Amino acid sequence: MSHLPPHDNPHDDDESGAADSSVRPDEFDEIVAAETDRDPDLAVIEAGSRTLRTQAGPPQADVPARPADPEVDRALREAEAELMARWPETKLDPTLSRIAALMDVLGDPQHAYPSIHITGTNGKTSTARMVEALLGAFELRTGRYTSPHVQSITERISLDGAPIAAERFVEAYQDIKPYVELIDAKEEHRLSFFEVLTGMAYAAFADAPVDVAVVEVGMGGTWDATNVIDGTVSVVTPIDLDHTDRLGTTHAEIATEKSGVIKQDATVILAQQPVEAAQVLLKKAVDVDATVAREGLEFGVVGRRVAVGGQLLTLRGLGGEYEEVFLPLHGEHQAHNAAVALAAVEAFFGVGAQRAEPLDIETVRKAFATVTSPGRLEVVRRSPTVVLDAAHNPAGARVAAAAISEVFDFSRLIGVLGVSDGKNARGMLEAFEPILAEVVVTQNSSDRALGADELAALAVEVFGDDRVQVEPRMDDALEAAITLAEEEGEFAGGGVLVTGSVITVGEARLLLGRG
């Protein structure tokens, strides 16, 4: 029996959401100032240790709008402004002393619940959302902490599958503010933006209280502020070269930093990794007597086929096979994320260790069918189709390009690219070049955005001068790309891909009426 949803495209039921791309310049400035004053997106082989083998999901309102109540909106803006005045989350300081001190004065709320800790280079947020959906379907109360956010800072802290309300976010900030100030006064440096947010999340989870927390690292692992939890399950999504100025220039160096989330006697779920990264991760698992499950060996994707609105999967978990699992996300990489998420939840429930039987298949199917991941191959407009994808490094760009080629039948695809300074922009351009007819280079509102002219120079080297257009303003870039796509005619299959950064995607999402 098929468990596919009805053949309506989930993006077709609200054409009003695909607003006209023409936005007044002053309106654009107002949107940017109000919504995106934030830091940019951050960011197998044989094991020597033990190995494993053997009701509704989250709601759809994943990206909240600004609060309707002016007083709540004012309070949220004040909290955001105070947080943004701190060290940015892209500044990595190799110490856990400040966050540990904050947790201590808060009574160590992070130890009040078990946690699933997720690190890696790409796929962390989507995997965290899938883990959350599965746990919720099995009637556990969840807290999810992810970063960065697409549009609203409240997205970073979720309870029961939904971002916490703006009022609760402000309350959480005000609750810990006196303790934050106490630590600020004692430490050499004040707590950072990310450290304070992490403290807020852990305290909010304990206050809820949650049955389990799903925690995504901000950057790296060992010295990441999230790494004061004792993750009973540690997840490592695919490792690639990103944040090389902070984490290392090789897969092994980056894996060394990320392996810090693997705790004593934990269960480690490893996605497929470059060999040198896998060696580092497995050695750490041996050192701390962790139990390992490896994609491609103990679990994995058995089969997949494209379906209306997503894909239909057969997954091999730690307890057996799960057939006809509908996932409403596009791309082979999301299938692998689903396998990792399933294995993580199985490990959390003791499948393959304390129990041999698999999880209830109908509950698993129901959970995966509800998964959303805003800004990840998300269709936000039709005629022409506009797709948003938050790829921000070459590895992410390659899997996004492959997924677009598999899922969409564009006769002419126009790219809108805005990246952060310090990222491998050339690598992203090279990954997207085969699928793009032309590219419109732009820059987002972040003060760390790579300038449009500098990006254009790289784009010309990759695409050639006649395939590159420069539009520094995001609204102009979107309008230019949509106009180019429309040259194909209403029924000719032109499309637009907006990518390069979570911030770029978030701003485009707002401008296209999805905010």
Coordinates of all heavy atoms in Angstrom, one line a residue, residues 154-239:
T154 N 13.8 33.4 16.8 CA 13.1 32.5 17.6 C 13.1 31.1 17.0 O 12.8 30.1 17.7 CB 11.6 32.9 17.8 OG1 11.0 33.0 16.6 CG2 11.6 34.3 18.6
E155 N 13.4 30.9 15.7 CA 13.5 29.6 15.1 C 14.6 28.7 15.8 O 14.5 27.5 15.7 CB 13.9 29.7 13.6 CG 13.0 30.5 12.7 CD 13.7 30.8 11.4 OE1 14.4 30.0 10.9 OE2 13.4 31.9 10.9
R156 N 15.5 29.3 16.4 CA 16.7 28.6 17.0 C 16.3 27.7 18.1 O 16.9 26.7 18.4 CB 17.8 29.5 17.4 CG 18.4 30.3 16.2 CD 19.5 31.3 16.7 NE 20.1 32.0 15.6 CZ 21.4 32.0 15.4 NH1 22.2 31.3 16.1 NH2 21.9 32.7 14.4
I157 N 15.3 28.1 18.9 CA 14.8 27.3 20.0 C 13.4 26.8 19.8 O 12.5 27.7 19.7 CB 14.9 28.2 21.3 CG1 16.3 28.8 21.5 CG2 14.4 27.4 22.5 CD1 16.4 29.7 22.7
S158 N 13.2 25.5 19.7 CA 11.9 25.0 19.4 C 11.5 24.1 20.5 O 12.3 23.4 21.1 CB 11.9 24.2 18.1 OG 12.0 25.0 17.0
L159 N 10.2 24.1 20.8 CA 9.6 23.2 21.8 C 8.4 22.5 21.1 O 7.6 23.1 20.4 CB 9.0 24.0 23.0 CG 10.1 24.6 24.0 CD1 9.4 25.5 25.0 CD2 10.9 23.5 24.6
D160 N 8.3 21.2 21.3 CA 7.2 20.4 20.7 C 7.1 20.6 19.2 O 6.0 20.7 18.6 CB 5.9 20.8 21.3 CG 5.9 20.5 22.8 OD1 6.4 19.4 23.2 OD2 5.3 21.3 23.6
G161 N 8.3 20.8 18.5 CA 8.3 20.9 17.1 C 8.0 22.2 16.5 O 7.9 22.3 15.2
A162 N 7.9 23.3 17.3 CA 7.6 24.6 16.7 C 8.5 25.6 17.4 O 8.8 25.5 18.6 CB 6.2 24.9 16.9
P163 N 8.9 26.7 16.7 CA 9.7 27.7 17.4 C 9.0 28.3 18.6 O 7.7 28.5 18.5 CB 9.9 28.8 16.3 CG 9.7 28.0 15.0 CD 8.7 26.9 15.3
I164 N 9.7 28.6 19.6 CA 9.0 29.2 20.8 C 8.4 30.5 20.4 O 8.9 31.2 19.6 CB 10.0 29.3 22.0 CG1 11.1 30.3 21.8 CG2 10.5 27.9 22.4 CD1 11.9 30.5 23.0
A165 N 7.4 30.9 21.1 CA 6.7 32.1 20.9 C 7.7 33.3 21.2 O 8.5 33.1 22.1 CB 5.4 32.2 21.7
A166 N 7.4 34.4 20.6 CA 8.3 35.6 20.8 C 8.3 36.0 22.3 O 9.3 36.3 22.9 CB 7.8 36.7 20.0
E167 N 7.1 35.9 22.9 CA 6.9 36.2 24.3 C 7.8 35.3 25.2 O 8.5 35.7 26.1 CB 5.5 36.1 24.8 CG 4.5 37.0 24.1 CD 3.9 36.4 22.9 OE1 4.5 35.5 22.3 OE2 2.7 36.8 22.6
R168 N 7.8 34.0 24.9 CA 8.6 33.0 25.6 C 10.1 33.3 25.4 O 10.9 33.1 26.3 CB 8.2 31.6 25.2 CG 9.0 30.5 26.0 CD 8.6 30.5 27.5 NE 9.5 29.7 28.3 CZ 10.5 30.1 29.0 NH1 10.8 31.4 29.0 NH2 11.2 29.2 29.7
F169 N 10.5 33.6 24.2 CA 11.9 33.9 23.9 C 12.4 35.1 24.8 O 13.4 35.0 25.4 CB 12.0 34.3 22.4 CG 13.5 34.5 22.0 CD1 14.2 33.5 21.5 CD2 14.0 35.8 22.1 CE1 15.6 33.7 21.1 CE2 15.4 36.0 21.7 CZ 16.1 35.0 21.2
V170 N 11.6 36.1 24.8 CA 11.9 37.3 25.6 C 12.0 36.9 27.1 O 12.9 37.3 27.8 CB 10.9 38.5 25.4 CG1 11.2 39.6 26.4 CG2 11.0 39.0 24.0
E171 N 11.0 36.1 27.5 CA 11.0 35.7 28.9 C 12.2 34.9 29.3 O 12.9 35.0 30.3 CB 9.7 34.9 29.2 CG 9.6 34.4 30.6 CD 8.3 33.5 30.8 OE1 7.3 33.8 30.1 OE2 8.4 32.5 31.6
A172 N 12.6 34.0 28.3 CA 13.8 33.2 28.6 C 15.1 34.0 28.7 O 16.0 33.8 29.5 CB 14.0 32.2 27.4
Y173 N 15.1 35.1 27.8 CA 16.3 36.0 27.9 C 16.3 36.7 29.2 O 17.3 36.8 29.9 CB 16.2 36.9 26.7 CG 17.3 38.0 26.8 CD1 18.7 37.6 26.6 CD2 17.0 39.3 27.0 CE1 19.7 38.5 26.7 CE2 18.1 40.3 27.0 CZ 19.4 39.9 26.9 OH 20.4 40.8 27.0
Q174 N 15.2 37.3 29.6 CA 15.1 38.1 30.8 C 15.4 37.2 32.1 O 16.0 37.6 33.0 CB 13.7 38.7 31.0 CG 13.4 39.8 29.9 CD 14.4 41.0 30.0 OE1 15.0 41.2 31.1 NE2 14.6 41.7 28.9
D175 N 15.0 35.9 32.0 CA 15.2 35.0 33.1 C 16.7 34.8 33.4 O 17.1 34.7 34.5 CB 14.6 33.6 32.8 CG 13.1 33.6 33.0 OD1 12.5 34.6 33.6 OD2 12.4 32.7 32.6
I176 N 17.5 34.6 32.3 CA 18.9 34.3 32.5 C 19.8 35.6 32.5 O 21.0 35.5 32.8 CB 19.4 33.3 31.5 CG1 19.7 33.9 30.1 CG2 18.5 32.1 31.4 CD1 20.5 33.0 29.2
K177 N 19.2 36.7 32.1 CA 20.0 37.9 32.0 C 20.8 38.3 33.2 O 22.0 38.6 33.1 CB 19.1 39.1 31.6 CG 19.9 40.4 31.3 CD 19.0 41.5 30.8 CE 19.7 42.8 30.6 NZ 18.8 43.9 30.1
P178 N 20.3 38.2 34.4 CA 21.1 38.6 35.6 C 22.3 37.6 35.8 O 23.3 38.0 36.3 CB 20.1 38.4 36.8 CG 18.7 38.6 36.2 CD 18.8 38.0 34.8
Y179 N 22.1 36.4 35.5 CA 23.2 35.4 35.6 C 24.2 35.6 34.5 O 25.4 35.4 34.8 CB 22.6 34.0 35.5 CG 21.5 33.7 36.6 CD1 20.2 33.8 36.3 CD2 21.9 33.4 37.9 CE1 19.2 33.6 37.3 CE2 21.0 33.1 38.9 CZ 19.6 33.2 38.5 OH 18.7 33.0 39.5
V180 N 23.8 36.0 33.4 CA 24.7 36.3 32.3 C 25.6 37.5 32.7 O 26.8 37.5 32.5 CB 23.9 36.7 31.0 CG1 24.9 37.3 29.9 CG2 23.3 35.4 30.4
E181 N 25.0 38.5 33.3 CA 25.7 39.7 33.7 C 26.7 39.3 34.8 O 27.8 39.9 34.9 CB 24.8 40.8 34.1 CG 24.0 41.4 33.0 CD 22.9 42.3 33.4 OE1 22.5 42.3 34.6 OE2 22.3 43.1 32.6
L182 N 26.3 38.4 35.7 CA 27.2 37.9 36.7 C 28.4 37.3 36.1 O 29.6 37.5 36.6 CB 26.4 36.9 37.6 CG 27.2 36.3 38.8 CD1 27.6 37.4 39.8 CD2 26.4 35.2 39.4
I183 N 28.3 36.4 35.1 CA 29.4 35.8 34.5 C 30.2 36.8 33.7 O 31.5 36.7 33.7 CB 28.9 34.6 33.6 CG1 28.2 33.6 34.4 CG2 30.1 33.9 32.9 CD1 28.9 33.0 35.6
D184 N 29.6 37.7 33.0 CA 30.3 38.7 32.3 C 31.3 39.5 33.2 O 32.4 39.8 32.8 CB 29.3 39.8 31.7 CG 28.5 39.3 30.5 OD1 29.0 38.3 29.9 OD2 27.5 39.9 30.2
A185 N 30.9 39.7 34.4 CA 31.7 40.5 35.3 C 32.9 39.7 35.8 O 33.9 40.3 36.2 CB 30.9 41.0 36.5
K186 N 32.8 38.4 35.8 CA 33.9 37.6 36.3 C 34.9 37.1 35.3 O 36.0 36.8 35.6 CB 33.3 36.3 37.0 CG 32.5 36.6 38.3 CD 32.0 35.3 38.9 CE 31.3 35.6 40.2 NZ 30.8 34.3 40.8
E187 N 34.4 37.0 34.0 CA 35.3 36.5 33.0 C 36.1 37.5 32.2 O 35.7 38.7 32.2 CB 34.4 35.7 31.9 CG 33.7 34.5 32.5 CD 34.7 33.3 32.7 OE1 35.7 33.2 32.0 OE2 34.4 32.5 33.7
E188 N 37.1 37.1 31.6 CA 38.0 38.1 30.8 C 37.2 38.7 29.7 O 37.3 39.9 29.4 CB 39.2 37.3 30.3 CG 40.1 38.2 29.5 CD 41.3 37.5 28.9 OE1 41.4 36.3 29.2 OE2 42.1 38.1 28.2
H189 N 36.4 37.9 29.0 CA 35.5 38.3 27.9 C 34.0 38.0 28.3 O 33.7 37.0 28.9 CB 35.8 37.6 26.6 CG 37.3 37.8 26.2 ND1 37.7 39.0 25.8 CD2 38.3 37.0 26.1 CE1 39.0 38.9 25.4 NE2 39.4 37.7 25.6
R190 N 33.2 38.9 27.8 CA 31.7 38.7 28.1 C 31.3 37.4 27.3 O 31.9 37.0 26.3 CB 30.9 39.9 27.6 CG 31.1 41.2 28.3 CD 30.0 42.1 28.1 NE 29.6 42.3 26.7 CZ 28.4 42.7 26.4 NH1 27.4 42.9 27.3 NH2 28.1 42.8 25.1
L191 N 30.2 36.9 27.8 CA 29.6 35.8 27.0 C 29.2 36.2 25.6 O 28.8 37.3 25.4 CB 28.3 35.3 27.8 CG 28.6 34.5 29.0 CD1 27.4 34.6 30.0 CD2 28.8 33.0 28.7
S192 N 29.4 35.3 24.7 CA 29.1 35.6 23.3 C 27.6 35.5 23.0 O 26.8 35.0 23.8 CB 29.9 34.7 22.3 OG 29.3 33.4 22.4
F193 N 27.2 36.0 21.8 CA 25.9 35.9 21.3 C 25.4 34.4 21.4 O 24.3 34.1 21.9 CB 25.8 36.4 19.9 CG 24.6 36.1 19.1 CD1 23.5 36.9 19.1 CD2 24.6 34.9 18.2 CE1 22.4 36.6 18.3 CE2 23.4 34.7 17.5 CZ 22.3 35.5 17.5
F194 N 26.2 33.5 20.9 CA 25.9 32.1 20.8 C 25.8 31.5 22.2 O 25.0 30.6 22.4 CB 26.8 31.4 19.9 CG 26.4 30.0 19.5 CD1 25.3 29.8 18.7 CD2 27.0 28.9 20.1 CE1 24.9 28.5 18.4 CE2 26.6 27.6 19.8 CZ 25.5 27.4 18.9
E195 N 26.7 31.9 23.0 CA 26.8 31.3 24.4 C 25.5 31.7 25.1 O 24.9 30.8 25.8 CB 28.0 31.8 25.1 CG 29.3 31.1 24.6 CD 30.5 31.8 25.2 OE1 30.5 33.0 25.5 OE2 31.6 31.1 25.3
V196 N 25.1 32.9 25.0 CA 23.8 33.3 25.7 C 22.6 32.6 25.2 O 21.8 32.1 25.9 CB 23.7 34.8 25.7 CG1 22.3 35.2 26.3 CG2 24.8 35.6 26.3
L197 N 22.5 32.5 23.8 CA 21.4 31.8 23.2 C 21.4 30.3 23.7 O 20.4 29.7 23.9 CB 21.5 31.8 21.7 CG 20.8 33.0 21.0 CD1 21.1 33.0 19.5 CD2 19.3 33.0 21.3
T198 N 22.6 29.7 23.7 CA 22.7 28.3 24.2 C 22.2 28.2 25.6 O 21.4 27.2 25.9 CB 24.1 27.8 24.1 OG1 24.6 27.9 22.7 CG2 24.3 26.4 24.5
G199 N 22.6 29.1 26.5 CA 22.1 29.1 27.9 C 20.6 29.2 27.9 O 19.9 28.6 28.7
M200 N 20.0 30.1 27.1 CA 18.6 30.3 27.0 C 17.9 29.0 26.6 O 16.9 28.6 27.2 CB 18.2 31.4 26.0 CG 18.6 32.8 26.5 SD 18.4 34.0 25.1 CE 16.7 33.8 24.6
A201 N 18.4 28.3 25.6 CA 17.8 27.1 25.1 C 17.8 26.0 26.2 O 16.8 25.4 26.4 CB 18.5 26.6 23.8
Y202 N 19.0 25.8 26.8 CA 19.1 24.8 27.8 C 18.2 25.0 29.0 O 17.5 24.1 29.5 CB 20.5 24.6 28.2 CG 21.4 24.0 27.2 CD1 22.8 24.0 27.3 CD2 20.9 23.3 26.1 CE1 23.6 23.4 26.4 CE2 21.7 22.8 25.1 CZ 23.1 22.8 25.3 OH 23.9 22.3 24.3
A203 N 18.1 26.3 29.4 CA 17.2 26.7 30.5 C 15.7 26.5 30.1 O 14.9 26.0 30.9 CB 17.5 28.1 30.9
A204 N 15.4 26.9 28.9 CA 14.0 26.8 28.4 C 13.6 25.3 28.3 O 12.4 24.9 28.6 CB 13.8 27.5 27.0
F205 N 14.5 24.4 27.9 CA 14.2 23.0 27.8 C 13.9 22.4 29.2 O 13.0 21.6 29.4 CB 15.3 22.3 27.1 CG 15.6 22.6 25.7 CD1 16.8 22.3 25.1 CD2 14.6 23.3 24.9 CE1 17.0 22.6 23.7 CE2 14.8 23.6 23.6 CZ 16.0 23.3 23.0
A206 N 14.7 22.8 30.2 CA 14.5 22.3 31.5 C 13.2 22.8 32.1 O 12.5 22.1 32.9 CB 15.7 22.7 32.4
D207 N 12.9 24.1 31.8 CA 11.7 24.7 32.3 C 10.4 24.1 31.7 O 9.4 24.1 32.4 CB 11.7 26.2 32.1 CG 10.6 26.9 32.7 OD1 10.5 26.9 34.0 OD2 9.8 27.6 32.0
A208 N 10.5 23.6 30.5 CA 9.3 23.1 29.8 C 8.5 22.1 30.5 O 7.3 22.2 30.7 CB 9.7 22.7 28.4
P209 N 9.0 21.0 31.0 CA 10.3 20.4 30.7 C 10.2 19.5 29.5 O 9.1 19.0 29.2 CB 10.6 19.6 32.0 CG 9.3 19.1 32.4 CD 8.3 20.2 32.1
V210 N 11.3 19.2 28.8 CA 11.3 18.3 27.7 C 11.7 16.9 28.1 O 12.4 16.8 29.1 CB 12.2 18.8 26.6 CG1 11.8 20.2 26.1 CG2 13.7 18.8 27.0
D211 N 11.4 16.0 27.3 CA 11.8 14.6 27.5 C 13.2 14.3 26.9 O 13.9 13.5 27.4 CB 10.8 13.6 26.9 CG 9.5 13.7 27.6 OD1 9.4 13.7 28.8 OD2 8.5 13.7 26.8
V212 N 13.5 15.1 25.8 CA 14.8 14.9 25.1 C 15.1 16.2 24.4 O 14.2 16.8 23.8 CB 14.7 13.7 24.2 CG1 13.6 13.8 23.2 CG2 16.1 13.5 23.5
A213 N 16.4 16.6 24.3 CA 16.8 17.7 23.5 C 17.5 17.3 22.3 O 18.3 16.3 22.4 CB 17.7 18.6 24.4
V214 N 17.3 17.9 21.2 CA 18.0 17.7 19.9 C 18.8 18.9 19.7 O 18.3 20.0 19.4 CB 17.0 17.4 18.8 CG1 17.8 17.1 17.5 CG2 16.0 16.3 19.1
V215 N 20.1 18.8 19.8 CA 21.0 20.0 19.8 C 22.0 19.9 18.6 O 22.8 19.0 18.5 CB 21.8 20.0 21.1 CG1 22.8 21.2 21.1 CG2 20.8 20.1 22.3
E216 N 22.0 20.9 17.8 CA 22.9 21.1 16.7 C 24.1 22.0 17.1 O 23.8 23.1 17.7 CB 22.2 21.7 15.5 CG 23.1 22.1 14.3 CD 22.4 22.9 13.3 OE1 21.2 22.9 13.2 OE2 23.2 23.5 12.5
V217 N 25.3 21.6 16.9 CA 26.4 22.5 17.2 C 26.4 23.7 16.4 O 25.9 23.7 15.2 CB 27.8 21.8 17.0 CG1 27.9 20.5 17.9 CG2 28.1 21.5 15.6
G218 N 27.0 24.8 16.9 CA 27.1 26.0 16.1 C 28.2 25.9 15.1 O 28.1 26.2 13.9
M219 N 29.4 25.6 15.6 CA 30.6 25.4 14.7 C 31.6 24.5 15.4 O 31.9 24.6 16.6 CB 31.3 26.8 14.5 CG 32.4 26.8 13.5 SD 33.3 28.3 13.4 CE 32.1 29.5 13.1
G220 N 32.0 23.5 14.7 CA 33.0 22.6 15.2 C 32.4 21.5 16.1 O 31.5 20.8 15.7
G221 N 32.9 21.5 17.3 CA 32.4 20.5 18.3 C 33.0 20.6 19.7 O 32.4 21.0 20.6
T222 N 34.3 20.4 19.7 CA 35.0 20.4 21.0 C 34.8 21.7 21.8 O 34.4 21.6 23.0 CB 36.5 20.2 20.8 OG1 36.7 18.9 20.1 CG2 37.2 20.1 22.2
W223 N 35.0 22.8 21.2 CA 34.9 24.1 21.8 C 33.6 24.8 21.6 O 33.4 26.0 21.9 CB 36.1 25.0 21.5 CG 37.4 24.4 21.7 CD1 38.3 24.0 20.8 CD2 37.9 24.0 23.0 NE1 39.4 23.4 21.4 CE2 39.2 23.4 22.7 CE3 37.5 24.1 24.3 CZ2 40.0 22.9 23.8 CZ3 38.3 23.6 25.3 CH2 39.5 23.1 25.0
D224 N 32.6 24.1 20.9 CA 31.3 24.8 20.7 C 30.6 24.9 22.0 O 30.6 24.0 22.8 CB 30.5 23.9 19.7 CG 29.3 24.6 19.3 OD1 29.4 25.5 18.5 OD2 28.2 24.2 19.7
A225 N 29.9 26.0 22.1 CA 29.2 26.3 23.4 C 28.1 25.2 23.7 O 27.8 25.0 24.9 CB 28.5 27.6 23.3
T226 N 27.6 24.5 22.7 CA 26.6 23.4 23.0 C 27.3 22.3 23.7 O 26.5 21.4 24.3 CB 26.0 22.9 21.7 OG1 27.0 22.3 20.9 CG2 25.3 24.1 21.0
N227 N 28.6 22.2 23.7 CA 29.3 20.9 24.2 C 29.4 20.8 25.7 O 30.5 20.3 26.2 CB 30.6 20.8 23.5 CG 31.1 19.3 23.4 OD1 30.3 18.4 23.4 ND2 32.4 19.2 23.4
V228 N 28.4 21.3 26.4 CA 28.4 21.1 27.8 C 27.3 20.1 28.2 O 27.1 19.8 29.4 CB 28.2 22.4 28.6 CG1 29.4 23.3 28.5 CG2 26.9 23.1 28.1
I229 N 26.7 19.5 27.2 CA 25.7 18.4 27.4 C 26.4 17.1 27.4 O 27.5 17.0 26.8 CB 24.6 18.5 26.3 CG1 25.2 18.3 24.9 CG2 23.7 19.7 26.5 CD1 24.1 18.2 23.8
D230 N 25.8 16.1 27.9 CA 26.2 14.7 27.8 C 25.4 14.0 26.9 O 24.4 13.3 27.3 CB 26.2 14.1 29.2 CG 27.1 14.7 30.2 OD1 28.2 15.1 29.8 OD2 26.7 14.9 31.4
G231 N 25.7 14.1 25.6 CA 24.8 13.5 24.6 C 24.9 12.0 24.6 O 25.9 11.4 24.4
T232 N 23.8 11.4 24.9 CA 23.7 9.9 25.0 C 23.9 9.4 23.6 O 24.4 8.2 23.4 CB 22.4 9.4 25.6 OG1 21.3 10.0 24.9 CG2 22.3 9.8 27.0
V233 N 23.5 10.1 22.6 CA 23.7 9.8 21.2 C 24.4 11.0 20.5 O 23.9 12.1 20.6 CB 22.3 9.5 20.4 CG1 22.6 9.2 19.0 CG2 21.6 8.3 21.1
S234 N 25.5 10.7 19.8 CA 26.2 11.7 19.1 C 26.1 11.4 17.6 O 26.3 10.2 17.2 CB 27.7 11.7 19.5 OG 27.9 12.0 20.8
V235 N 25.8 12.4 16.8 CA 25.6 12.2 15.4 C 26.6 13.1 14.6 O 26.8 14.3 15.0 CB 24.1 12.7 15.0 CG1 23.9 12.5 13.5 CG2 23.1 11.8 15.7
V236 N 27.2 12.5 13.6 CA 28.2 13.3 12.8 C 27.7 13.2 11.4 O 27.8 12.1 10.7 CB 29.6 12.8 12.9 CG1 30.5 13.7 12.2 CG2 30.0 12.7 14.4
T237 N 27.1 14.2 10.8 CA 26.7 14.3 9.4 C 28.0 14.4 8.6 O 29.1 14.6 9.1 CB 25.7 15.5 9.2 OG1 26.4 16.7 9.4 CG2 24.5 15.4 10.1
P238 N 27.9 14.4 7.2 CA 29.1 14.4 6.4 C 30.0 15.6 6.7 O 29.5 16.8 6.8 CB 28.5 14.5 5.0 CG 27.2 13.8 5.1 CD 26.6 14.2 6.4
I239 N 31.2 15.3 6.8 CA 32.3 16.4 7.0 C 32.9 16.8 5.7 O 33.2 15.9 4.9 CB 33.3 15.8 8.0 CG1 32.7 15.8 9.4 CG2 34.6 16.7 8.0 CD1 33.7 15.1 10.4

